[in-house]
Amino acid sequence: MRADFISGIVSAIRFTGLILLALGLAACKTEKAADQPTILGIPPSTAYLGVEYYYNFGAYGGETILDYSLTNAPSWLALEDTSNKARQGVIMRGVPGLTGGNRGELDLGKEQDINLVTTDGQMSGVQPFDIEVKYNPLSLEVETFTEGESPEIAETARESCDQPDLEPAGEHRFTINQYDEDGNVTGTTEVTRPTRPVVAKIILKRPSVTRVGVAFELSSEYDPSRCDSGFDDPHQRCDYSEANVGDANVGQDIVALGSNSAAKLEGLEYLTYREDGLGGLVTLEPGVTECYIRLEVIDDTFPEPSEVARLTLTEVRNGLAGLGENNEGTEINLIIDDDEPVLTLKTIAGGTRDALNINGVREYVGTLSGDRDGTFRARLKHSEDATARLGSEFVIEQEQSENVWVENDELVFPEAVDERRFRIRVLTDTYSNPGLNDRFILLGLDEAYQAGRENYARAADGSVLRVSLNELTSALVLNGSDGFVATDFDIAHSGRIFIAGYDSADNDRVRVRIFDQKGNLLQDIAVSDVGEVNNSPQPVIGTVVRKVSEGAAKVDRFEFAVAYSTDATGTDANGGLDVMVSRYWFDSATAGGSYVNNWTIRTGTSGDDVVRSIGINAESGYVSVAGETDGTWPDQNRAGAVDSFLQRIDTELDGDTEVGALAWTRQIGSSADDSVAGGSSVSIAPLLFGSAAGSVNGESVIGGVDAFFYSASGSASTIAVKQVGTEADEPVSGGLYDNNLLWLVGTGTGDYSVEENEEGVNTLARSALNSGSGFVFAYSSGGVLNRAFSVNDDDDVSQERFGAISLFDGDVVVGGATNGAFEAGVTPVTGDQAILARVSLTEASDGAEDTPFRNEWHYQLLEADSEILALGNYRDDEIAALARRGGDQLLLVFSPEGRLLSELN
């Protein structure tokens, strides 16, 4: 009983504790007001006609279950009709143009300040928003079509129609005109040709809730009534006039459905065609956003350029959709490439350029490539840009029988024959050219004749055989009647040949002789004064054409500058050899057009200043001179016995007279004797290059004799010399700067190449040769190696030396002399002989079939005691060379493939 009593007391205490705990917890609780009802999210601001607009709102807050409503909403938009008022959210949906009264396009436009309101009966929340209703736009996508080919249809992530089968060929029958030799229409004929199905994709931006049907049609700008001047319809020059070039003839080049294709191609439920086969209707089922318009490209046999037709969506027949974003129209160009066999015209060696003497004849080859059935033809003719015309300056001949050639400008290729040879013969008796420049042939297809004629070849893109007609058929002897010694030359201004030199029979008087391409002397300019005594002055020359202001217009101004070293006495002599510079310009009003002196200036040090090159900048007209000095120029420091110098001469006005003014001279050298090979005035800052056996301006010595180059912009500007080479000797003897690359040529004993080191930097690599050979390096102005190669005889036994370089048609040409067999298969004469080589800069391909044409050759003039002194490029048509043969100086002309065109006497 005592135990029960005690147990009851404990229970009472526990009960009392629980009551007190509950009361304490109740006393700690704080009441909080319900949150304001708030709608979550912002609906899309764009809706599309015929496309379901849907948005699921969320909300929170309120004391009780929320209710929702729309105010100021368009008629097509409503909240989901649901009796489930327990959900904390609401779905808003509608289809513009359909729901709310089937208003169609009346629902287009922007509705502003639409409000979604939610309330718990006491409190409310509002979400305002705008909706703009737009057209559901239709667009088109196509690839380029090619006759005879059916493309693959790319996979799509869109909901699409069934892809059509493009493998079966269709067929189309149509009528074409027939023409005589002059293009007159002689009748018509009906032809039936296979077709290849192709597709254009039609794309609906958003899936429509209803079926969408849209009409389409084919058209083009082609109009047979647009005739070339002087011709009347009907005529070939109307059907295929210049105005119609590039426009497809709908019904002959492309159709929607071929006349005989219905039974050959599968039927497509979503596609129907018009009776004329030039249009139809495509239907997109609800939910489909991509479908196909199957068209047919006619595989004709006419040679044609790429042609353009137009596919237009003309009308939405069913459903709600827009023809483009603003329903202003949907169309796309259809490009059709031809598949007729292609003709290429080349030299026998595979080149596309050649030069032919005006009394010459030479064979060429036409090659046909591509699939074909039966015999195909190719009618040849000069292009409009050619200056030599078929029939007046040259003819095309084909071999009728062995060694019997007849005039025939149409090549015939039977089915198994893909190559035909023909030759070009210049009409010596009727050839005439009163102009300064040589005429040139641009030979291609007679497209005006071939147009609309079946089974003729088409031209490869850009495939034209260019043949320059050389009029300097005999070597131009430059010192044939006096003591003139040519030292430098350039080609410019309508093919004029500028020869700088001196007259050894007249106190070494400096002269510039200007010849035309025929070798006629146009002007003989005495540069140095009469009575001025020089000592082998070695003049150099540079030419330029500049744009200058003449009133309010920009005109071409032709100039040349000549420089030489002289020790002639005079009030302005500085001691030793001074630099003499004269600039000339072409005055069309003087003596029917001739070069006249602009100014002359003499500069120098107390020592000998030897000029090596001169140039004129095409932009500002400054003249730059590069050379060597054993003196010290003002404000400069002498580094060695012989330093390089680079100077700039500007043109200033003294009253109304232009005068030459020395802007600055920069002297840079090493402790050894430096050799300057040349300079350039192409860039804003002139450039100089050469070689040295020591450290030039503090640069590291690499080998015995290194190449170096630098540019300067003033007498005190920072000079960054680039000293380059290998551990061997690389003496530089010539060079040029073009297209941001400095090309250096010289003579060494190594085989050079470009290697990439671990850091990805190009480095100059060398392996030893057994004999002397030429080298060519190409550097950027910043000193980055771009190219390096050697020019050597195949057997590596003879000694070659090179000092002349020119760029020609994207390649490098170098000239010099050899004491052995430089050209393969020749028997050399005794002593040094002039040599010429073209090195291709085209990268070779690994695959034999894809290897590009590489026009490389060696030429050797089998004349004792001869050499090439300088090179020039005439229009990328001919290589001109200043050569020495014994005591004579000659101007020689070579073809792009290394044939000597100017006969030696």
Side-chain angles (χ1 to χ4, degrees):
M1 185 175 192
R2 181 181 175 84
D4 292 338
F5 178 76
I6 293 172
S7 175
I9 292 173
V10 171
S11 297
I13 292 171
R14 288 178 176 173
F15 179 75
T16 301
L18 290 172
I19 291 173
L20 292 173
L21 177 62
L23 290 173
L25 290 173
C28 292
K29 180 178 180 182
T30 302
E31 291 290 340
K32 183 179 181 183
D35 290 332
Q36 181 84 12
T38 302
I39 296 172
L40 301 174
I42 300 175
S45 61
T46 303
Y48 297 92
L49 282 181
V51 177
E52 184 180 28
Y53 182 93
Y54 172 98
Y55 194 73
N56 189 352
F57 281 97
Y60 72 89
E63 287 284 1
T64 61
I65 295 174
L66 300 174
D67 198 4
Y68 303 90
S69 62
L70 280 172
T71 65
N72 199 32
S75 61
W76 59 266
L77 185 63
L79 299 179
E80 184 181 57
D81 185 15
T82 176
S83 61
N84 181 12
K85 300 300 184 180
R87 61 181 298 155
Q88 291 296 304
V90 64
I91 295 174
M92 183 174 64
R93 71 170 75 241
V95 181
L98 295 178
T99 58
N102 199 27
R103 288 161 42 88
E105 293 185 357
L106 294 177
D107 283 338
L108 288 169
K110 191 170 187 177
E111 293 286 347
Q112 295 180 307
D113 300 323
I114 307 169
N115 295 307
L116 176 64
V117 181
T118 181
T119 180
D120 63 356
Q122 297 181 8
M123 297 180 291
S124 63
V126 178
Q127 174 64 66
F129 60 95
D130 302 334
I131 298 178
E132 183 177 8
V133 178
K134 297 182 178 181
Y135 286 103
N136 189 13
L138 288 157
S139 60
L140 293 166
E141 286 184 1
V142 294
E143 302 289 339
T144 297
F145 305 146
T146 301
E147 290 182 9
E149 296 181 9
S150 291
E152 294 183 358
I153 302 176
E155 295 293 331
T156 180
R158 304 183 183 99
E159 186 70 25
S160 67
C161 300
D162 293 335
Q163 290 187 357
D165 183 3
L166 302 183
E167 286 301 319
E171 192 174 81
H172 186 62
R173 184 177 63 255
F174 56 100
T175 300
I176 61 172
N177 287 332
Q178 292 181 308
Y179 312 105
D180 62 14
E181 282 291 307
D182 298 323
N184 297 306
V185 176
T186 59
T188 61
T189 185
E190 195 173 75
V191 296
T192 301
R193 297 299 303 166
T195 67
R196 300 303 307 181
V198 295
V199 295
K201 289 184 179 180
I202 180 170
I203 298 168
L204 191 61
K205 188 167 186 175
R206 294 286 190 274
S208 176
V209 300
T210 63
R211 179 181 292 130
V212 174
V214 59
F216 64 90
E217 71 175 8
L218 291 169
S219 62
S220 82
E221 297 296 325
Y222 177 82
D223 182 357
S225 67
R226 297 188 300 181
C227 302
D228 288 337
S229 177
F231 296 92
D232 296 317
D233 186 29
H235 196 278
Q236 183 187 21
R237 298 291 293 274
C238 299
D239 296 340
Y240 299 93
S241 64
E242 291 183 6
N244 284 326
V245 169
D247 293 327
N249 185 347
V250 175
Q252 291 191 14
D253 294 311
I254 187 171
V255 289
L257 181 68
S259 58
N260 301 339
S261 294
K264 297 177 179 292
L265 304 180
E266 66 171 331
L268 299 169
E269 291 184 358
Y270 56 82
L271 197 60
T272 58
Y273 294 96
R274 292 187 337 211
E275 288 186 6
D276 63 3
L278 303 182
L281 182 73
V282 61
T283 301
L284 287 75
E285 295 296 328
V288 171
T289 56
E290 180 175 291
C291 208
Y292 307 96
I293 301 175
R294 187 185 64 202
L295 309 169
E296 295 175 60
V297 173
I298 300 166
D299 190 11
D300 59 36
T301 59
F302 308 124
E304 300 165 316
S306 292
E307 296 178 314
V308 177
R310 185 167 50 249
L311 175 63
T312 303
L313 302 183
T314 59
E315 181 185 4
V316 176
R317 299 276 179 83
N318 300 303
L320 294 172
L323 300 180
E325 295 288 346
N326 299 312
N327 199 32
E328 293 177 349
T330 300
E331 62 181 32
I332 197 168
N333 285 337
L334 310 176
I335 301 174
I336 308 169
D337 289 339
D338 197 25
D339 73 334
E340 302 313 310
V342 173
L343 179 76
T344 55
L345 303 175
K346 293 189 176 182
T347 67
I348 300 300
T352 58
R353 283 179 177 262
D354 198 19
L356 182 64
N357 283 341
I358 57 171
N359 57 0
V361 59
R362 185 165 172 80
E363 284 189 46
Y364 300 91
V365 61
T367 303
L368 203 62
S369 59
D371 296 334
R372 59 190 170 100
D373 293 323
T375 298
F376 266 73
R377 300 171 182 272
R379 179 72 67 93
L380 305 183
K381 189 181 180 181
H382 61 267
S383 75
E384 290 302 315
D385 293 330
T387 57
R389 294 291 192 259
L390 180 66
S392 56
E393 278 79 37
F394 72 99
V395 294
I396 295 170
E397 298 179 333
Q398 295 184 54
E399 194 170 24
Q400 187 178 60
S401 58
E402 187 173 359
N403 294 325
V404 177
W405 293 79
V406 296
E407 290 186 27
N408 187 351
D409 55 8
E410 187 165 285
L411 307 180
V412 180
F413 297 86
E415 189 166 355
V417 176
D418 295 329
E419 186 175 291
R420 282 294 192 193
R421 290 202 177 192
F422 63 95
R423 71 183 192 180
I424 294 174
R425 180 169 60 85
V426 182
L427 295 172
T428 308
D429 294 338
T430 61
Y431 183 88
S432 175
N433 179 22
L436 294 174
N437 274 311
D438 285 346
R439 293 191 185 277
F440 59 90
I441 301 167
L442 294 176
L443 189 63
L445 290 175
D446 188 350
E447 295 181 80
Y449 173 84
Q450 293 191 164
R453 301 178 192 266
E454 293 191 285
N455 298 320
Y456 275 86
R458 63 189 171 99
D461 292 340
S463 177
V464 175
L465 178 65
R466 181 179 174 112
V467 181
S468 180
L469 302 182
N470 172 56
E471 299 189 47
L472 192 62
T473 58
S474 296
L476 179 61
V477 180
L478 300 171
N479 57 343
S481 59
D482 55 20
F484 183 72
V485 178
T487 55
D488 196 13
F489 88 111
D490 202 357
I491 302 176
H493 191 186
S494 301
R496 288 173 172 83
I497 305 166
F498 297 78
I499 308 286
Y502 59 92
D503 189 346
S504 61
D506 185 13
N507 295 321
D508 287 356
R509 190 176 188 187
V510 176
R511 311 190 76 88
V512 171
R513 291 180 173 171
I514 304 175
F515 298 87
D516 64 12
Q517 283 293 313
K518 304 172 180 61
N520 299 317
L521 181 63
L522 301 177
Q523 196 173 355
D524 186 2
I525 302 172
V527 176
S528 58
D529 293 334
V530 62
E532 179 182 302
V533 179
N534 294 298
N535 183 17
S536 184
Q538 302 299 310
V540 291
I541 192 168
T543 64
V544 75
V545 54
R546 297 196 300 120
K547 289 288 185 183
V548 298
S549 296
E550 193 171 280
K554 287 284 189 179
V555 298
D556 289 336
R557 173 165 160 154
F558 301 95
E559 299 173 345
F560 76 81
V562 60
Y564 61 96
S565 298
T566 181
D567 58 0
T569 59
T571 56
D572 53 354
N574 296 281
L577 294 173
D578 287 343
V579 176
M580 293 289 295
V581 178
S582 295
R583 191 176 80 165
Y584 291 77
W585 68 285
F586 185 75
D587 183 1
S588 59
T590 301
S594 61
Y595 281 86
V596 296
N597 182 261
N598 186 211
W599 49 254
T600 297
I601 186 173
R602 181 170 182 167
T603 64
T605 70
S606 59
D608 287 339
D609 310 308
V610 180
V611 174
R612 296 301 184 196
S613 76
I614 190 171
I616 309 175
N617 181 262
E619 298 298 324
S620 68
Y622 77 74
V623 175
S624 66
V625 178
E628 303 158 359
T629 182
D630 60 7
T632 304
W633 288 90
D635 302 321
Q636 300 296 298
N637 296 313
R638 184 173 170 185
V642 177
D643 291 345
S644 70
F645 76 86
L646 179 62
Q647 72 178 195
R648 169 173 165 160
I649 302 171
D650 292 339
T651 301
E652 297 179 352
L653 284 176
D654 182 5
D656 294 332
T657 304
E658 290 185 335
V659 296
L662 178 63
W664 50 261
T665 304
R666 200 61 191 266
Q667 183 170 343
I668 299 293
S670 71
S671 58
D673 290 346
D674 302 332
S675 173
V676 174
S680 170
S681 60
V682 172
S683 300
I684 296 176
L687 179 144
L688 175 148
F689 52 87
S691 49
S695 170
V696 182
N697 204 41
E699 293 299 305
S700 299
V701 176
I702 302 172
V705 176
D706 296 337
F708 73 90
F709 55 92
Y710 64 86
S711 61
S713 57
S715 60
S717 63
T718 301
I719 298 293
V721 173
K722 308 300 179 184
Q723 190 161 345
V724 297
T726 69
E727 71 283 352
D729 291 341
E730 282 88 30
V732 176
S733 51
L736 57 88
Y737 186 80
D738 183 83
N739 198 25
N740 298 319
L741 284 178
L742 173 62
W743 297 85
L744 303 174
V745 64
T747 303
T749 57
D751 186 17
Y752 294 92
S753 61
V754 178
E755 291 185 356
E756 190 175 289
N757 62 20
E758 294 179 354
E759 289 75 32
V761 177
N762 287 347
T763 60
L764 183 61
R766 176 187 180 275
S767 59
L769 294 173
N770 297 321
S771 64
S773 67
F775 65 76
V776 178
F777 306 148
Y779 284 90
S780 72
S781 58
V784 177
L785 180 64
N786 181 274
R787 297 268 188 170
F789 50 84
S790 298
V791 186
N792 194 19
D793 62 286
D794 291 341
D795 296 327
D796 190 21
V797 294
S798 60
Q799 300 292 322
E800 281 83 38
R801 68 176 190 274
F802 290 92
I805 185 170
S806 177
L807 297 183
F808 184 85
D809 194 23
D811 290 342
V812 170
V813 178
V814 291
T818 184
N819 66 359
F822 179 68
E823 182 181 355
V826 304
T827 301
V829 299
T830 303
D832 287 348
Q833 301 131 78
I835 56 175
L836 196 65
R838 178 172 176 175
V839 180
S840 174
L841 300 182
T842 303
E843 295 290 346
S845 173
D846 292 335
E849 294 184 359
D850 299 328
T851 300
F853 173 66
R854 294 173 61 82
N855 195 353
E856 295 192 327
W857 43 261
H858 287 183
Y859 172 84
Q860 184 165 349
L861 183 66
L862 297 177
E863 296 281 342
D865 190 22
S866 63
E867 63 179 322
I868 300 294
L869 303 174
L871 292 171
N873 179 344
Y874 177 52
R875 300 187 313 199
D876 278 342
D877 283 335
E878 299 162 9
I879 301 163
L882 178 61
R884 181 187 60 81
R885 181 182 62 175
D888 291 335
Q889 281 84 40
L890 312 171
L891 189 74
L892 305 178
V893 178
F894 295 85
S895 78
E897 296 183 344
R899 288 182 298 110
L900 179 63
L901 299 175
S902 45
E903 181 182 350
L904 290 171
N905 297 322

